Amino acid sequence: MSIQSERALRTKEYCHDRFGMFIHWGLYSIPAIGEWMRSTERVTIEDYQKYFDTFDPVNYDPKKWAKLAKQAGMKYAVLTTKHHDGFCLFDSQYTDYKATNTKAGRDLVREYVDAFRAEGIKIGFYYSLLDWHHPDYPAYEDAHHPMRGNEAYKEQRGQHFERYVEYMHNQVRELLTNYGKIDIIWFDFSYDDMTAEKWEATKMVKMARELQPGIIIDNRMGGDVCSAEPEIYSGDFASPEQMIPAWGVRDVNGDPVPWETCITLNGHWGYCAKDMNYKSAKNVINMLMECVSKGGNLLLNVGPDAKGNIPDKSIEILTEVGEWMRLNSEAVYGCGIADIPKHDWGRITKGEDAIYLYIQDTCCEDIAIYDCPYKTKGAVLLADGSYVRMHEPWNAHSYKTNGKVPVFVQTPEFRNLNGNANVIKIYIEK
Ligand code: GLC
């Protein structure tokens, strides 16, 4: 079987799910200016130690997070088990720099796994390839290390990088051995010559697949997921970030490649106390439907604070998204590209035996679908199943598009149900 067909099989459910929760949480929630803080502020290990000493997430209750994710319609989650600062939320036998040794005093990853699994949400682990805490990770000449260019770290050039690679492989083995079935492993990220076999990526992928046969791996360990012959480590899906690719993601032959864009709810991944620049629920739903209509997933981020609370504003937005999902998720799960050009009024997704019109904006009474390749069999409003009239304006034949009369659907009167855009379901002949 080709690597592409194997990939397609493996990612079937993941592509069906379409919507996930990204969780960035760690020591950096304390300084509260985002997870790159150690690097941007060039903080030494010694200065960063105070966050380790005061890490005390008294309100950490992943059951609440899991309920929120479920209510929002999210089907999988990805938690930062270790971010670039090297701090581990899990109990690793290979380091002391872990949650178990903080005031938290326990394995926080285990509780996350238990809580999300109990809600039927698939489990993902984010694991940072970068590590600003490990002494064998290059510092002085590295592009991102907090101590880059710092004369005091002149000797830290990764002369014994193999020790770090071994550490990383050992930790990934722990993560994929000690927590039952893991659905996704999300490595982050490659840059400069820190890519592919530098991480011993082939070995890593083989180990991951051996320990977790069904696991899905992102594409940030290196290689090219879109090439005709992807490397074994080039991953199962493309992972654009803070953007939605104009035409989705396709390989060199023009065939669709599974993809997932990750997007923040405000402007930061890790908790940022001052950042109130949140997206609205409508904005989130727009992004989700845009992804689905282009054959992709949305991994939407939350950044819990130092005490373990997801910020109120994030809860409010996700709750509103959940209300919309309760009525309209049929247009999301298992849906994808409809093979109809983008229309001015919104987005179109396609399921088994229907297409879904996500109506963001209407200009006249009727919504026209031009270049519709399907034989239609009637339309309803997805939210409540009520009938929606399809008809042909009397002079439509005078205004064909590409030689064809468009399909016309009547705008539902109560299109502002929930304040967010409605979806019209049109049954099609298979
Ligand atoms: C970037 C950042 C990182 C964040 C990730 C999410 O790679 O380094 O902080 O976790 O994007 O996609």
Side-chain angles (χ1 to χ4, degrees), residues 20-29 35 55 57 60-63 65-66 69 74-85 87-91 99 106-117 121-129 171-172 175-176 179 182-188 215-216 218 237 260 262 269-271 299-305 308-310:
M21 176 182 267
F22 212 173
I23 310 169
H24 275 73
W25 193 49
L27 297 185
Y28 42 81
S29 327
E35 77 292 348
F55 186 63
Y60 177 57
D61 182 1
K63 290 196 198 88
W65 298 2
M74 291 158 157
K75 295 279 193 192
Y76 62 100
V78 180
L79 169 73
T80 50
T81 58
K82 179 195 91 170
H83 206 271
H84 307 335
D85 65 2
F87 176 70
C88 299
L89 291 178
F90 61 107
D91 187 9
R106 57 202 205 276
D107 184 330
L108 301 172
V109 168
R110 180 159 318 276
E111 289 176 29
Y112 151 79
V113 170
D114 292 346
F116 279 72
R117 205 176 270 147
I121 295 175
K122 297 198 185 84
I123 307 297
F125 286 161
Y126 169 108
Y127 184 86
S128 172
L129 299 169
Q171 287 205 320
V172 172
L175 285 169
L176 300 186
Y179 302 89
I182 302 307
D183 302 284
I184 301 163
I185 181 118
W186 220 100
F187 294 111
D188 191 33
I215 201 162
I216 292 170
D218 74 336
F237 63 91
E260 165 197 270
C262 48
W269 301 103
Y271 179 64
L299 184 63
L300 187 65
N301 184 72
V302 294
D305 67 19
N309 295 311
I310 292 180

Side-chain angles (χ1 to χ4, degrees), residues 8-115:
L9 263 183
R10 229 181 352 248
T11 52
K12 200 163 180 260
E13 249 187 75
Y14 163 80
C15 291
H16 173 277
D17 290 349
R18 291 296 183 220
F19 194 22
M21 176 182 267
F22 212 173
I23 310 169
H24 275 73
W25 193 49
L27 297 185
Y28 42 81
S29 327
I30 306 174
I33 54 170
E35 77 292 348
W36 270 75
M37 178 276 173
R38 239 205 94 191
S39 174
T40 51
E41 311 290 305
R42 303 197 178 221
V43 181
T44 59
I45 288 204
E46 295 75 29
D47 275 349
Y48 201 66
Q49 180 62 24
K50 55 181 173 290
Y51 306 124
F52 183 90
D53 296 338
T54 54
F55 186 63
D56 189 15
V58 285
N59 295 339
Y60 177 57
D61 182 1
K63 290 196 198 88
K64 279 195 195 153
W65 298 2
K67 287 211 160 63
L68 179 69
K70 180 160 190 184
Q71 186 276 340
M74 291 158 157
K75 295 279 193 192
Y76 62 100
V78 180
L79 169 73
T80 50
T81 58
K82 179 195 91 170
H83 206 271
H84 307 335
D85 65 2
F87 176 70
C88 299
L89 291 178
F90 61 107
D91 187 9
S92 167
Q93 67 172 102
Y94 301 99
T95 185
D96 291 331
Y97 202 50
K98 55 183 177 183
T100 345
N101 294 339
T102 64
K103 290 195 187 336
R106 57 202 205 276
D107 184 330
L108 301 172
V109 168
R110 180 159 318 276
E111 289 176 29
Y112 151 79
V113 170
D114 292 346

Side-chain angles (χ1 to χ4, degrees), residues 81-237:
T81 58
K82 179 195 91 170
H83 206 271
H84 307 335
D85 65 2
F87 176 70
C88 299
L89 291 178
F90 61 107
D91 187 9
S92 167
Q93 67 172 102
Y94 301 99
T95 185
D96 291 331
Y97 202 50
K98 55 183 177 183
T100 345
N101 294 339
T102 64
K103 290 195 187 336
R106 57 202 205 276
D107 184 330
L108 301 172
V109 168
R110 180 159 318 276
E111 289 176 29
Y112 151 79
V113 170
D114 292 346
F116 279 72
R117 205 176 270 147
E119 291 294 342
I121 295 175
K122 297 198 185 84
I123 307 297
F125 286 161
Y126 169 108
Y127 184 86
S128 172
L129 299 169
L130 287 71
D131 195 314
W132 301 329
H133 189 265
H134 199 285
D136 292 309
Y137 200 90
Y140 185 66
E141 284 172 332
D142 184 69
H144 305 296
H145 197 283
M147 298 298 108
R148 60 192 176 277
N150 183 327
E151 294 299 314
Y153 287 77
K154 225 171 171 150
E155 293 315 311
Q156 196 175 327
R157 296 165 183 267
Q159 297 92 323
H160 290 290
F161 193 65
E162 74 286 351
R163 293 202 288 233
Y164 172 65
V165 171
E166 192 188 340
Y167 170 79
M168 183 169 74
H169 282 238
N170 280 336
Q171 287 205 320
V172 172
R173 185 176 311 103
E174 290 182 308
L175 285 169
L176 300 186
T177 306
N178 298 343
Y179 302 89
K181 181 167 186 275
I182 302 307
D183 302 284
I184 301 163
I185 181 118
W186 220 100
F187 294 111
D188 191 33
F189 62 84
S190 295
Y191 58 100
D192 304 338
D193 66 335
M194 306 295 273
T195 184
E197 294 308 359
K198 186 96 191 194
W199 313 118
E200 294 189 16
T202 301
K203 197 171 138 206
M204 182 76 105
V205 166
K206 284 192 176 153
M207 172 177 74
R209 299 224 187 276
E210 201 179 298
L211 295 170
Q212 298 280 344
I215 201 162
I216 292 170
I217 308 176
D218 74 336
N219 70 332
R220 293 192 179 184
M221 228 161 22
D224 180 4
V225 70
C226 292
S227 74
E229 284 174 49
E231 303 80 356
I232 170 172
Y233 51 76
S234 59
D236 294 315
F237 63 91

